[in-house]
Each structure stands twice: as structure tokens, then as C-alpha cells.
Amino acid sequence: MTVGTTEAHTMKSNVPFMLLCTIGLTFAVLMLASGLQVLDPMVRHDDFGALLADPTDFYVKTLEEGRWLNYWWHLRGWVTPAWINFSVYQFFWAIFAGAAAVNACGKEEPFRYVAALALMIVVSLPALLISVWFNTLLPGLGLVALFALLASFLRPATMRWLLLLFVPLTLMAYTTFPLLLLTVCLTTRDLRRSWWDLLTLMATFVISFALGLLVIYSLNYMEHGVFGISIANWRNPTPPHDLASVIANLGLVLEFFKETALTIAFENTTMVTIFVLVLTGSLIYLARVEPWTALYIFAGLFAGIGLLSLQIIMTGVITPARAVNFVWVLYSVLCVRVAVVCHSKGRVPANLAWSFLLITITVYLIWIWERYFIYTYWQDETRALAVQAGTGAGPIYVIGSYKALKSESKVGIMGPRGLQLRLKYLTGRTVFVCDRTPDACENVSADALSGLVVPVPEVRQMQDRTEIILPPVTE
């Protein structure tokens, strides 16, 4: 065995240990940043179906969004507590971040850069925003994590063949999950980069994505009689029918860019400027020292943003900023790669680049902790109502608007159904919110329906039911 072969074998044998350390560190930091969410995680009202394994309300999303994998997950027939699902979801995200970092840095880089990349990926704000649908997205993110993990052990050529399997499956979970798979393939450190390699990778991804659409359309045709996706009316789709409507939808693309940039940068225009300058400057610098690495990263950004822009133009529906998680992953790889290059350029550039990584990770960790902490206001307030209501056999009637709860505006509860399902989950009882289903509230107390004013939520225990009376909404 030659010396080179021995070194390669040694580095390869270190991969499991490096993965274990990186994923373990990343998961620990992520759970600390999640704070009290770990004990009682925030569940959005349309995520309760996945939590409770109830496919009733989710079925329509197979037609409207092609989310077949998520629908099959709803059919599993068994229920686990929200805190377990949240912990597993965060663990999957930590696996992806850790494995993607090991994959992007290779086996020869100092561990601190591998750890920094994993932590920078895991503090993605789009990832935070989408994490409140953790029950629904659990199987899809599990596949994303598995793909990244496999990429640490299998040859790049093998991973490209696996795109044909993983892209259609993850597409049936969330539209931009496949772009996370593409970022893993584009940022693999062991690639023999060339124009032919890049073109074949992108072609394989496009074919895989098209295959995923074909599978979704075929399933919709067999189940709903529609070969395609029927976008929900509440999204206000405006497909183009002439040049003027195309131009109008181009304006939505610009709005999407603005919303995305502000989301990634804490809704701060100064931070947006810093983000754009760092992204542009890093790409230009890396293009001079590692042109192929820069080209592959740019190709991922161009393909992903181009795909989302095309979707907006064709549908007239703005994609939410939480869909651009792949942008942050590529940005993280770019920043860490520049820091690694600066490591060999002298102490000053190395210290500056390393300091930038630490500051970025720290700032975003603090923001994530604060954001998760905000959700605890709603959790605490609704838990207090559930404790007062108890776990009796009769139904619970909620009189008044859910907006009367002080925490509603902080966490963005979008309808009375959020309160109904939260109380149902906590008490195990049937819950009627009279604002949502007034016909079901015919048997509640007459004085309650006549507008009884209470300064704080009041719980009344009746013989056959419980009434929760909310104070009037103040503007």
C-alpha cells in the first residue's frame, strides 16, 4: 500500500468520528437555541393534523400542493407527543448541517472550520421559520438528512444517481427540499470539477425534478382526476395570459427578492446591504483563488432562485421566504470556504475571516433563541386556559375572539382554529370556538352570548360543558 493510499484510508476512516462530533455539537447548540420550545413546541394550526395523525384537512393539499409524502405520513395511525417530534425534527436538521459541513470541507480541513460551517448552516433563519411545521415536514427532512449523510460515504457519481430517487420523494414533502440535495452535490469537496461535470449534475437534477413533477401529476390524476396542481384560491393565483400579466408577475419576483433579503437579515435594510456585499465580495474573491468552487456555488444560487422565480411568474403566487433555505446553505459554504483560503494567507486575514464567522453564528443564534422564546407566550397563555378548563368529558365552548389573548399578535395566530386545536390537544376534549362555528354554540350561557365583559379570560364549569369567556378585543 502506498503512502498516498494510506493517508486517504486514514482520512476516510475518520469520517464517522468527524460526523459524530460535528452532528453532536450542532444538535446540542440547536437544542439550546430552541430553549423552552423543546418542552412544549409551537404548533401551527395546519400542523396539528400531522401531530394527531388526522389526514382529514390535509387531503386537499395533495391536489393543491402535491404533498403526497406528507399525506402518507398523516395516515401512519399512531401519535407521538409534540416534544418528541420537535426533537427528532431538530436532530434531522442537525444531521443535515453536520453532514453537509463534513462533505463540503472534506477530510483535510481543521475541525473548527467544519464545526463553524455546520453551526452556520443550522442557524438559518428560513430553517427557523419553517420549523414550526415540524410535525408535517418530519419525513421529508429525514430524507434530506439521510441524503447528506450518504454523501459523506458514497462517491459523488453514486449520489447523482440517488437524486433520481430522493428528489421526487422530497418534492412531495416541500417544494424546495430538492434544492438542499442539490447544494450537497454542488459543494462536495471531493469533486473533480469541470464544465462537463457541472452540466451533467445540473441535467441530472432537472431530470429528477421533472420526474418528481410527473409522479405528483400522475398521482393527482389517479386520485383527483386532474393531471397537475390546482392552486388553492386563497393563494390568489394569477397565471399569465398575455405580456402585461407576465410583466405584472415579474414585479412579484422583485417583491420575493425583497422579502427574502429582509427575512434573512432580521428585517433590517443595513443587514441586507451587508449580506449582499459579503455574498458578492466572497464570490468574486473565491472566483480568483478557486474559480471552480465559486462557479458551482453560483450555479446552485442561479438554479434555485431561477426555479422559484419561474414558479412565481407562471403562477402569480409569491413564494414565502422560508423556502430559500438553500440560499443560506450556499452562502454559509461560501463564507467558510473563503475563511479556509484566508487561513493560508496570513494571521490578519485568517483572524478577520474567522471573527466574521463567529460573529455571524453568535448573532443568529441569539436571534433564533429570541424568536423561539416569543412562541412561549402563546404556549403559556393557552396552557393556563387548558389547566382551568380541566380534562372533563364535556365539550369546551370559547366565547369571544381569539385575538383577545395577548400573545396572539406576537406569534401570528391567523385564525380561531389555532386556539381550537391547541386547547383540543392540551385537554383531549372537543372544543368549539363560537367565532368559528356559531351554530355549535346554541347551548352556551345566555349572558355569555349577550356580551358579558370580563377583564381577563374567565372559565366557567357547567355540569355538561366548560365555557371560556374571553375579554373584548381592544384595538
Side-chain angles (χ1 to χ4, degrees), residues 49-324:
L51 172 61
L52 303 174
D54 180 5
T56 306
D57 293 326
F58 196 87
Y59 175 71
V60 69
K61 290 184 180 290
T62 59
L63 175 61
E64 296 175 347
E65 301 173 19
R67 305 288 172 79
W68 281 97
L69 181 65
N70 298 341
Y71 176 67
W72 295 329
W73 171 242
H74 280 66
L75 298 174
R76 65 190 182 276
W78 43 270
V79 176
T80 48
W83 69 268
I84 291 181
N85 294 348
F86 182 76
S87 298
V88 173
Y89 181 93
Q90 296 292 65
F91 183 57
F92 284 160
W93 181 231
I95 290 176
F96 172 82
V102 171
N103 194 52
C105 290
K107 294 83 183 177
E108 70 280 356
E109 304 299 350
F111 177 73
R112 65 170 180 161
Y113 288 105
V114 180
L117 178 53
L119 292 176
M120 194 164 176
I121 290 174
V122 90
V123 297
S124 163
L125 292 190
L128 162 69
L129 295 176
I130 203 173
S131 69
V132 291
W133 284 271
F134 60 92
N135 296 289
T136 301
L137 297 175
L138 194 60
L141 187 62
L143 289 174
V144 171
L146 176 61
F147 186 88
L149 203 59
L150 291 174
S152 301
F153 297 97
L154 301 179
R155 296 169 56 247
T158 304
M159 297 310 301
R160 294 178 188 196
W161 283 110
L162 287 177
L163 284 174
L164 295 169
L165 172 64
F166 278 80
V167 167
L169 287 174
T170 54
L171 184 62
M172 289 189 287
Y174 194 70
T175 308
T176 57
F177 272 177
L179 292 173
L180 292 175
L181 311 184
L182 178 61
T183 62
V184 171
C185 293
L186 285 168
T187 57
T188 297
R189 195 73 193 134
D190 296 335
L191 284 179
R192 295 181 178 179
R193 304 179 193 273
S194 66
W195 282 109
W196 176 250
D197 179 77
L198 179 59
L199 289 174
T200 54
L201 170 56
M202 299 307 293
T204 304
F205 177 77
V206 170
I207 292 171
S208 302
F209 201 91
L211 178 61
L213 290 177
L214 179 61
V215 171
I216 290 172
Y217 290 2
S218 299
L219 288 171
N220 281 355
Y221 181 75
M222 289 187 291
E223 182 68 23
H224 303 290
V226 177
F227 187 77
I229 297 290
S230 297
I231 302 176
N233 291 330
W234 64 268
R235 294 185 183 274
N236 300 316
T238 55
H241 52 83
D242 55 22
L243 181 59
S245 56
V246 170
I247 294 174
N249 285 354
L250 282 173
L252 296 178
V253 173
L254 296 177
E255 187 176 338
F256 160 70
F257 286 154
K258 179 182 177 181
E259 178 186 347
T260 299
L262 285 172
T263 299
I264 291 177
F266 308 104
E267 305 293 329
N268 186 299
T269 53
T270 302
M271 288 289 290
V272 170
T273 303
I274 294 174
F275 174 79
V276 173
L277 288 176
V278 171
L279 176 63
T280 306
S282 297
L283 269 175
I284 294 173
Y285 176 74
L286 197 62
R288 295 178 58 189
V289 295
E290 293 185 6
W292 282 112
T293 304
L295 177 62
Y296 275 58
I297 292 175
F298 178 79
L301 291 170
F302 181 81
I305 294 175
L307 180 64
L308 293 179
S309 299
L310 179 62
Q311 177 178 298
I312 295 171
I313 293 172
M314 297 303 295
T315 63
V317 177
I318 295 182
T319 302
R322 59 179 177 268
V324 298

Side-chain angles (χ1 to χ4, degrees), residues 234-426:
W234 64 268
R235 294 185 183 274
N236 300 316
T238 55
H241 52 83
D242 55 22
L243 181 59
S245 56
V246 170
I247 294 174
N249 285 354
L250 282 173
L252 296 178
V253 173
L254 296 177
E255 187 176 338
F256 160 70
F257 286 154
K258 179 182 177 181
E259 178 186 347
T260 299
L262 285 172
T263 299
I264 291 177
F266 308 104
E267 305 293 329
N268 186 299
T269 53
T270 302
M271 288 289 290
V272 170
T273 303
I274 294 174
F275 174 79
V276 173
L277 288 176
V278 171
L279 176 63
T280 306
S282 297
L283 269 175
I284 294 173
Y285 176 74
L286 197 62
R288 295 178 58 189
V289 295
E290 293 185 6
W292 282 112
T293 304
L295 177 62
Y296 275 58
I297 292 175
F298 178 79
L301 291 170
F302 181 81
I305 294 175
L307 180 64
L308 293 179
S309 299
L310 179 62
Q311 177 178 298
I312 295 171
I313 293 172
M314 297 303 295
T315 63
V317 177
I318 295 182
T319 302
R322 59 179 177 268
V324 298
N325 206 3
F326 70 95
V327 173
W328 182 262
V329 175
L330 288 170
Y331 173 75
S332 301
V333 173
L334 177 64
C335 291
V336 172
R337 195 62 218 159
V338 169
V340 169
V341 172
C342 289
H343 182 71
S344 62
K345 300 295 182 181
R347 178 175 296 180
V348 174
N351 289 341
L352 287 175
W354 180 250
S355 298
F356 172 80
L357 295 180
L358 292 183
I359 291 172
T360 301
I361 293 169
T362 302
V363 169
Y364 276 79
L365 273 175
I366 293 172
W367 195 91
I368 285 177
W369 189 90
E370 290 180 345
R371 182 63 191 180
Y372 274 135
F373 184 78
I374 288 174
Y375 294 136
T376 61
Y377 292 108
W378 173 259
Q379 305 298 76
D380 291 344
E381 196 169 15
T382 52
R383 196 186 306 112
L385 286 178
V387 169
Q388 293 181 64
T391 56
I396 297 174
Y397 293 90
V398 181
I399 298 97
S401 174
Y402 70 99
K403 293 184 179 181
L405 298 177
K406 296 178 181 179
S407 57
E408 179 274 331
S409 60
K410 292 183 179 181
V411 299
I413 301 300
M414 298 175 62
R417 186 164 174 258
L419 176 59
Q420 175 200 2
L421 293 175
R422 170 68 173 166
L423 292 176
K424 179 181 178 180
Y425 172 69
L426 291 173

